[in-house]
Amino acid sequence: MRARALVAYNVRRIRVQRGIPQEQLAYDAGVDRSYMSGLERQKANPTIDLLDRLAETLGVAVSELFVRPSKGAPPPATLPKGRKPKPARGKRTSPLTKAS
């Protein structure tokens, strides 16, 4: 596995294990969410400085981003897509409808 693939695999693995959305990790590390997506898809080539920030944000050593997965390990899972549903409230009525 190449270094870029190792970083992508481990960033996603650690992020998902901690339940951190990609958008939140990007914000906390000071990068754009689309860049973080590219990094996890092996499209972006992170700098050493960014690897430092990501490791610090995730609470791991930089070396943890280069750990080889065990042979036959499944790819890291993803978090559920979309926003969390808002709690249900009482039924709303439109101001245009007549009350009976």
Side-chain angles (χ1 to χ4, degrees):
M1 198 178 254
R2 301 180 84 162
R4 190 183 297 188
L6 283 174
V7 169
Y9 178 91
N10 286 304
V11 166
R12 178 174 284 172
R13 175 184 59 82
I14 297 165
R15 178 180 64 76
V16 170
Q17 282 176 349
R18 288 171 170 44
I20 302 170
Q22 194 177 65
E23 188 173 273
Q24 185 65 48
L25 177 59
Y27 178 81
D28 292 346
V31 297
D32 190 78
R33 189 215 47 86
S34 62
Y35 183 85
M36 184 61 61
S37 172
L39 190 146
E40 288 188 1
R41 290 181 292 114
Q42 302 175 41
K43 302 295 180 191
N45 190 19
T47 64
I48 302 264
D49 291 336
L50 178 56
L51 293 177
D52 276 337
R53 289 197 317 261
L54 286 172
E56 183 177 332
T57 302
L58 291 168
V60 298
V62 173
S63 61
E64 186 71 22
L65 301 178
F66 294 95
V67 172
R68 288 191 177 277
S70 59
K71 192 148 185 121
T78 58
L79 292 177
K81 294 183 180 181
R83 296 178 184 242
K84 293 181 182 174
K86 293 182 180 179
R89 293 197 221 180
K91 184 177 178 184
R92 291 184 175 184
T93 58
S94 168
L96 302 177
T97 58
K98 292 182 181 180
S100 311

